[in-house]
Amino acid sequence: MANKFTGIGSESKQLATWYFTFAAILLGAQLVFGLVAAIQYVMPGFLFELLDFSVARMLHINALVVWMVFAMFGSVYYLLPDETGIETVGIKVGKLLYWIFVAAIVVVVLVYLFIQVGPATETSIWFIHEGREYIEAPRWADWGIVVVALGFVGNLFLTGMKGNRSGIVTVLMADMIAFAGLYLAGMFFTDNITLDQYWWWWVIHLWVEATWEVFVGSIAAYGLIQMIGASRKVVEMWLWIEVAMLFGSGILGIGHHYFWIGTPEYWWEIGALFSALEPLPLVAMFIHVMYDWGKQQGKKVAGGSDESVVANKPAFVWFWMNAFGNFLGAGIWGFFHTLPQVNLYTHGTQFTSAHGHLAFFGAYATILIGMFYLAVQGSNGIKVLKHTKASIWSISLMVGGMLGMTMALTIAGYVQVLVSRAQMGATWAGYFDGQQGMWFAQAMDWRLIMGVVMFLGFALLAKDLLTTGKNPVHER
Amino acid sequence: MVEQVIMRQDIALDDFLTIFVSSGLVLVFGGLYVGIYTAVKVELLKTWTMPIAYIFWVLTAYCLYLMGSLMHVGEFTAKALVVAAFGILLLPHAVYYMQDQVHQQNEH
Amino acid sequence: MAKISVWSDNRFWQRSAAWITGFAAVLLIWLTFDTAGQIAMGTDADLQAGVTKRVPGPTVINYKITYEMSTKRGHEVPVIGEKEMFFGRDDYSEEEAGALLHLGKLGSQTKNCMNCHTLLGNGAYYAPDLTKAWLDPAWQDGGTMQAMTGKSTKEEAMAEFLQHPSTYPTHSRMMPDLGITPEEAKGLVAFLKHMSSIDTNGFPRNFGRMQGAVNGK
């Protein structure tokens, strides 16, 4: 493969584009299996006993986690040379690990698809899947992931220590070691389901509501410097404040997952308190982006120019969507069912699903897609990357589709709370009474329609990412 | 003793919608308060709009109160909600103050 | 140059971030030790002595379990009552019950239960919550599910359903055949019975309070 990058860090940036490419393919797979699962809600006979809901959903959420991890690794390899001023140390090992990672994922997916379930033995846990939501990967793959993650963290540390260790790199170094280390909490078997879920949440919560959020903060800082030329001093100081706020509220925010799994009642108070604080950093991140952009644009206007300060339009819109989506999906949709008094009724309903969809998309998918665009700009040597028809339509359709799905799932969740929970208390009959309600059924139809809209948006995104680099509209 | 009451009372069926809407609005109003405040400070909006920002904060506090009372929160959670309301009130002041300090130091 | 304020000093915020993160992490670890002690599985001796554990030992399958309102705690809690037959026995030893639970927990993972059902409220939302499935009115004597399988006890009815789920459809959304063997089914039922005895702080609320309500009214 010819390397389109030149200068310092060209190898690292090339590896980043490999990571991004596979991430985008997995994003497509995530949407396909999501559509299968959405169809099954509407037509339960669809692919019954061929590709059941459990398998489709496992692929849907695993593709989600893995494409995001790929895009995150890619983002780090992309920004390292810019931040440290040197080529990434151990880039050869990095490239080798990339291929090992890809091969392992292909094997895992094939086993999920064609073996699906195994007998109730340890062997199935080691070689088929672990059956634990989000981290289903079989035990052999767990160890593979540990090796790959160690190699990645090692490269990051060696590069950070050899080159210029900027604030962003320092935060990433600390964050990525926590991110990799936490995975170990999900790698053991226990007969005690309460203990099982206790540690399972260490992985899931401390990833998505702590270490991943800090990662997003670092990427946003890098993006603001690259795209609108924000002052590094301000951005980095702000990053430290965000780290303090995100970890300060997020680490103990894990309490909101410990209300009902058999853990002691004091988690009600801890969970309620820290959940109430969790939206604050998200609001703050939003102000920060607005403030920096306002200041930079203001300077340009004062200098007599009405030109935009933005060097990469699609990426900037996706970063902007990130600030907004994080606040909307993680903030609003998280907060309104998080206090224990109301979570007693909403826990385990489509509310969680609505929140999960909007939060993963708003907080993570958006900014990582923004990074894809930065890589397209870099690999084609473009000075100012502008919008194309496809980029505008893909943003509109993906964001619109996601908001539509979220609204539909929220309505479905509301029906479940009233019928299946508040009145019938989550029995078998209560569950199906809720599912048969007219509002619930309608909501599931709309969810599917909006899922198709989202998929169309993705198709345009893929087209734009592949072709925009050659488009003559950009300034070179 | 008070905390024992925390989960005793069921939420009335008709209250669920109000609870969900008001707790969603907490952050919407909170965001508007913070947004307008910041916009006025960086001179994107005229100064007279500042009272509107504070009206949004009052609405935020009211929604927190409404949500908390309908879901029959205990004493501890009630206190946490009051702290959150004042946290939102102070947040944009603190953020603006710090941003401004850094800019002053770097640009003058 | 203006006087350096501590609020705009990068090093100050770097240290604050480190201290806050460290403090939160230490608090979480400390709470984890406390919680781990409280959620450790009980023993057969605890059950015989009537000691209440948040997660009872596996031999809880020898006893009758109910879910009752506790006026002291203000919500429903599982109550372990007198002895009860489970697949024709009520004298499972700690080893036998433990082995059955082990098989059931393994089965719950390898059969991927969590990607359709919720367990303790966590998982997917395509099928009913299994937290208190053992106590569900549908499986009791005279319940619709027990009647459908033609078995005379709820454990046998549940085991029969698990082995041939698509033979007993309850809804157009059916459970697929997952190749569950009779022994695995027995283990899974033991796992479900054990899970229903876990103290979940009153989740789910009002379990089975109302039956046959339509459209919420």
Side-chain angles (χ1 to χ4, degrees), chain A residues 41 49 57 118 120 130 136 190-192 196-198 259 262-263 266-267 347 423 425 428 431 433 435, chain C residues 32 34-35 39 54 102 105 109 111 115 119-120 122 125-127 136 173 176-177 184 201 205 207 213 216:
Chain A
Y41 263 103
E49 292 189 339
R57 187 194 187 252
E130 289 186 38
E136 284 95 345
T190 165
D191 291 338
N192 184 341
D196 179 312
Q197 294 204 351
Y198 185 87
F259 295 156
T263 36
Y266 56 70
W267 287 107
H347 178 52
Q423 300 191 87
W428 192 285
Y431 175 82
D433 273 355
Q435 303 289 304
Chain C
T32 295
D34 184 73
T35 298
I39 63 175
R54 298 194 69 91
H102 178 66
K105 175 67 175 21
Q109 289 184 220
K111 302 299 176 187
N115 267 313
L119 300 123
L120 303 175
N122 292 317
Y125 319 110
Y126 193 67
D136 199 299
R173 209 184 287 166
D177 188 345
E184 286 172 349
N201 293 342
R205 181 85 172 184
F207 186 75

Side-chain angles (χ1 to χ4, degrees), chain A residues 419-470:
Chain A
V419 180
S420 309
R421 286 306 180 75
Q423 300 191 87
M424 302 186 66
T427 57
W428 192 285
Y431 175 82
F432 282 115
D433 273 355
Q435 303 289 304
Q436 272 152 347
M438 195 260 287
W439 281 87
F440 187 95
Q442 287 274 311
M444 284 302 155
D445 293 347
W446 280 105
R447 193 271 292 269
L448 176 56
I449 293 166
M450 287 301 167
V452 173
V453 170
M454 172 115 190
F455 189 78
L456 292 176
F458 168 74
L460 285 172
L461 174 73
K463 178 199 168 260
D464 196 51
L465 287 170
L466 290 171
T467 58
T468 194
K470 302 278 166 285

Side-chain angles (χ1 to χ4, degrees), chain A residues 35 50 62 100 117 181 222 267 286 291 295 310 317 320 357 422 443:
Chain A
L35 282 178
L50 282 172
N62 278 220
I100 293 175
V117 287
Y222 168 78
W267 287 107
F286 189 63
Y291 185 96
K295 279 275 171 190
V310 180
V317 174
W320 184 256
H357 278 81

Side-chain angles (χ1 to χ4, degrees), chain C residues 96-210:
Chain C
E96 288 172 313
L100 216 47
L101 178 65
H102 178 66
L103 180 67
K105 175 67 175 21
L106 271 175
S108 78
Q109 289 184 220
T110 57
K111 302 299 176 187
N112 216 346
C113 301
M114 209 178 180
N115 267 313
C116 285
H117 294 275
T118 41
L119 300 123
L120 303 175
N122 292 317
Y125 319 110
Y126 193 67
D129 183 53
L130 297 179
T131 309
K132 303 290 174 197
W134 172 255
L135 306 170
D136 199 299
W139 292 104
Q140 315 299 320
D141 265 334
T144 50
M145 298 296 283
Q146 194 183 117
M148 187 159 51
T149 56
K151 300 284 177 184
S152 52
T153 63
K154 78 173 143 178
E155 58 271 23
E156 284 165 333
M158 287 174 126
E160 171 65 20
F161 177 81
L162 285 170
Q163 291 169 68
H164 311 287
S166 37
T167 320
Y168 305 105
T170 54
H171 187 263
S172 58
R173 209 184 287 166
M174 284 189 290
M175 178 167 154
D177 188 345
L178 298 168
I180 295 170
T181 64
E183 198 48 35
E184 286 172 349
K186 202 172 158 185
L188 284 167
V189 178
F191 168 73
L192 289 174
K193 183 167 183 178
H194 175 260
M195 185 158 60
S196 76
S197 74
I198 295 174
D199 182 345
T200 48
N201 293 342
F203 172 85
R205 181 85 172 184
N206 296 328
F207 186 75
R209 182 184 74 171
M210 199 183 282

Side-chain angles (χ1 to χ4, degrees), chain A residues 129-260:
Chain A
H129 63 71
E130 289 186 38
R132 297 169 78 207
E133 200 187 3
Y134 293 110
I135 45 175
E136 284 95 345
R139 191 63 49 79
W140 74 263
D142 280 351
W143 285 105
I145 291 166
V146 169
V147 170
V148 172
L150 279 179
F152 164 76
V153 172
N155 280 0
L156 171 61
F157 266 73
L158 292 174
T159 315
M161 286 189 294
K162 189 173 160 208
N164 163 43
R165 187 145 54 88
S166 70
I168 293 175
V169 173
T170 314
V171 171
L172 278 174
M173 281 161 72
D175 191 50
M176 284 291 138
I177 196 141
F179 167 54
L182 283 168
Y183 193 73
L184 296 171
M187 284 177 55
F188 67 98
F189 177 85
T190 165
D191 291 338
N192 184 341
I193 180 85
T194 298
L195 192 66
D196 179 312
Q197 294 204 351
Y198 185 87
W199 289 106
W200 177 70
W201 279 120
W202 268 57
V203 186
I204 309 302
H205 174 92
L206 295 178
W207 269 11
V208 300
E209 286 175 68
T211 50
W212 287 27
E213 285 282 3
V214 168
F215 175 85
V216 163
S218 319
I219 295 292
Y222 168 78
L224 286 175
I225 295 171
Q226 292 291 314
M227 284 186 293
I228 61 173
S231 143
R232 177 175 289 274
K233 173 100 201 294
V234 182
V235 166
E236 289 199 338
M237 186 195 92
W238 187 248
L239 180 58
W240 286 113
I241 299 175
E242 272 169 12
V243 171
M245 289 173 87
L246 285 167
F247 278 147
S249 64
I251 290 177
L252 287 165
I254 199 170
H256 62 221
H257 300 294
Y258 294 158
F259 295 156
W260 323 115

Side-chain angles (χ1 to χ4, degrees), chain A residues 279-300:
Chain A
L280 295 183
L282 306 180
V283 180
M285 280 165 108
F286 189 63
I287 317 176
H288 169 61
V289 173
M290 190 168 123
Y291 185 96
D292 264 351
W293 176 70
K295 279 275 171 190
Q296 293 303 118
Q297 191 70 50
K299 253 190 256 167
K300 256 244 157 104

